[in-house]
Amino acid sequence: METENNVKKVMLSGIQPSGDLHLGNYLGAVKNWAALAEEFDCFYFMADLHTLTVRQDPKEFRRRATAQLAQYIACGLDPQKNTLFLQSHVHEHAELGWILNCYTMFGELSRMTQFKDKSAKNAENINGGLFTYPALMAADILLYQADYVPVGEDQRQHCELTRDVAIRFNNLYGETFKVPEAYIPKVGARIMSLSNPTSKMSKSDPTGCVFLMDTPEEIARKFKRAVTDSDTERCVRFDPENKPGVSNLMNIYASVTGRSFAGIEAEFDGKGYGTFKPAVGDAVAETLRPIREEAARMIADKVYLKDVYTEGAQRASAVARRTLRKVYKKVGLVEKPF
Ligand code: TRP
């Protein structure tokens, strides 16, 4: 855990509370995060301020922020070993976000592919927050002097921009921010949609998406309906190019059972998809059962969750405050007298 003489490098990531966690999030990323706490000083937060760039139903949004936190803890992120908090509880994010807005260029923000994608999808609500989102993200990262930011490919451009802003600021005012690096984890499976195995599993395609909170019955149903391939051989063989559906199911099965592809091929030799699909469903349901139960228990225990995010925000704020104070001083703001 964090100490004054901490030599561990800092790892930080934000997660938007924009939907419940699914199997792709779990096997592709979160499952591997638990182990990172041994090597790094880890901060994870619900990026709720970022989520406000898209219109939310307030009640549902409030429920989701803590429900999602519970799901992350249930996936193995131990609140004793990681600093877990909600972004909006640490006001330094919004404050440094404003400052960094003034050091991030209109041209840079205009080149962000996520801004272009999101404004195409939300043509009726292309707000300023959507545009300046990367400056807030830079603040999230730079406040903690993070060394590494574990993110998916879609966030690489934002991480690059964060580096550019940090370097720009350091050049103007002297060393202030650690220049972070994107950390693309070594392990982690790329899980595809069950209904459309050439696209990534995503909550926007619910029939092909297995949520961590799905019941075993729902999981069984989704796997039974999983798209397999229309090739004539109908056998369980790993061949992502020609058999994307079956290969995705094999990938999932391998991830949850630890078996090799050769082992899986042998296990289902001569057995066809009708046996294979329910077997994958069962294995997934068994893997997710303790996670779902643990998350449900925490969601019901509001006091426990509140303790976790209170303590997390206090720890985070203690770090963030130091950086913000330094920045205010460097840019020439008058020191706050209280
Ligand atoms: N933009 C990230 C996403 O949509 C979420 C995020 C916000 C984030 N702040 C961050 C990720 C800081 C890493 C670091 O996935």
Side-chain angles (χ1 to χ4, degrees):
M1 216 35 257
E2 210 207 350
T3 64
E4 270 317 303
N5 306 313
N6 197 357
V7 287
K8 280 183 176 178
K9 298 230 171 181
V10 175
M11 171 93 67
L12 169 137
S13 197
I15 304 137
Q16 286 207 48
S18 52
D20 286 324
L21 279 181
H22 59 68
L23 188 66
N25 302 134
Y26 177 63
L27 296 178
V30 188
K31 185 182 168 195
N32 306 311
W33 289 359
L36 295 175
E38 307 303 326
E39 198 181 335
F40 301 101
D41 186 12
C42 295
F43 294 79
Y44 299 101
F45 61 94
M46 298 298 129
D48 49 4
L49 297 175
H50 278 98
T51 306
L52 278 180
T53 55
V54 174
R55 205 64 79 224
Q56 303 293 323
D57 170 57
K59 207 166 150 228
E60 166 60 13
F61 184 37
R62 186 175 296 118
R63 179 199 71 76
R64 235 190 284 122
T66 50
Q68 216 167 295
L69 178 65
Q71 291 169 36
Y72 276 92
I73 299 171
C75 287
L77 277 192
D78 180 346
Q80 302 300 322
K81 296 186 181 160
N82 299 274
T83 301
L84 308 177
F85 62 101
L86 307 186
Q87 183 185 29
S88 58
H89 291 179
V90 181
H91 57 77
E92 287 83 358
H93 288 247
E95 292 174 276
L96 184 62
W98 172 257
I99 303 272
L100 295 184
N101 256 315
C102 305
Y103 296 84
T104 308
M105 298 301 135
F106 181 85
E108 288 175 314
L109 293 169
S110 310
R111 284 193 290 277
M112 294 294 117
T113 55
Q114 191 173 74
F115 171 68
K116 293 186 212 168
D117 292 349
K118 287 198 180 175
S119 27
K121 278 192 205 130
N122 297 288
E124 72 299 337
N125 184 22
I126 307 177
N127 58 69
L130 198 60
F131 188 64
T132 61
Y133 175 117
L136 179 60
M137 179 159 161
D140 298 338
I141 298 168
L142 300 179
L143 274 176
Y144 300 92
Q145 307 290 348
D147 295 276
Y148 299 110
V149 185
V151 286
E153 202 50 53
D154 63 324
Q155 296 298 318
R156 201 190 271 276
Q157 202 185 20
H158 291 161
C159 287
E160 279 304 312
L161 182 58
T162 299
R163 289 169 59 84
D164 292 343
V165 171
I167 293 167
R168 178 174 305 146
F169 196 98
N170 289 346
N171 286 341
L172 282 165
Y173 301 104
E175 278 307 303
T176 309
F177 295 126
K178 170 67 85 29
V179 180
E181 273 172 49
Y183 176 92
I184 311 289
K186 291 173 226 87
V187 277
R190 192 172 148 80
I191 304 299
M192 313 305 278
S193 160
L194 300 187
S195 52
N196 181 11
T198 51
S199 19
K200 253 174 76 172
M201 182 174 282
S202 152
K203 59 179 187 286
S204 57
D205 162 25
T207 51
C209 182
V210 176
F211 292 97
L212 299 192
M213 301 309 278
D214 281 351
T215 62
E217 295 71 37
E218 284 166 318
I219 295 173
R221 188 154 17 89
K222 286 179 181 174
F223 276 94
K224 248 176 229 144
R225 290 197 194 139
V227 167
T228 38
D229 307 298
S230 52
D231 59 333
T232 46
E233 64 174 29
R234 315 279 308 159
C235 76
V236 176
R237 187 167 60 77
F238 192 73
D239 178 356
E241 186 116 339
N242 299 306
K243 294 163 78 77
V246 170
S247 302
N248 183 39
L249 294 177
M250 286 181 74
N251 202 7
I252 293 172
Y253 196 62
S255 302
V256 297
T257 62
R259 278 179 222 173
S260 68
F261 292 141
I264 298 170
E265 286 171 5
E267 182 182 349
F268 294 97
D269 187 27
K271 291 204 181 119
Y273 300 157
T275 313
F276 178 53
K277 291 202 284 184
V280 182
D282 285 349
V284 168
E286 276 318 301
T287 300
L288 296 187
R289 181 191 302 277
I291 297 176
R292 175 172 54 95
E293 289 174 354
E294 171 77 351
R297 194 188 57 68
M298 282 185 274
I299 290 167
D301 187 351
K302 299 259 181 298
V303 175
Y304 171 76
L305 275 182
K306 191 172 174 190
D307 280 351
V308 167
Y309 64 70
T310 304
E311 209 190 302
Q314 283 165 346
R315 279 204 307 252
S317 185
V319 179
R321 198 181 305 142
R322 285 202 290 269
T323 303
L324 187 68
R325 195 178 301 134
K326 196 152 85 171
V327 169
Y328 274 19
K329 194 166 172 190
K330 296 226 174 179
V331 300
L333 292 169
V334 174
E335 199 184 340
K336 208 170 156 186
F338 54 87

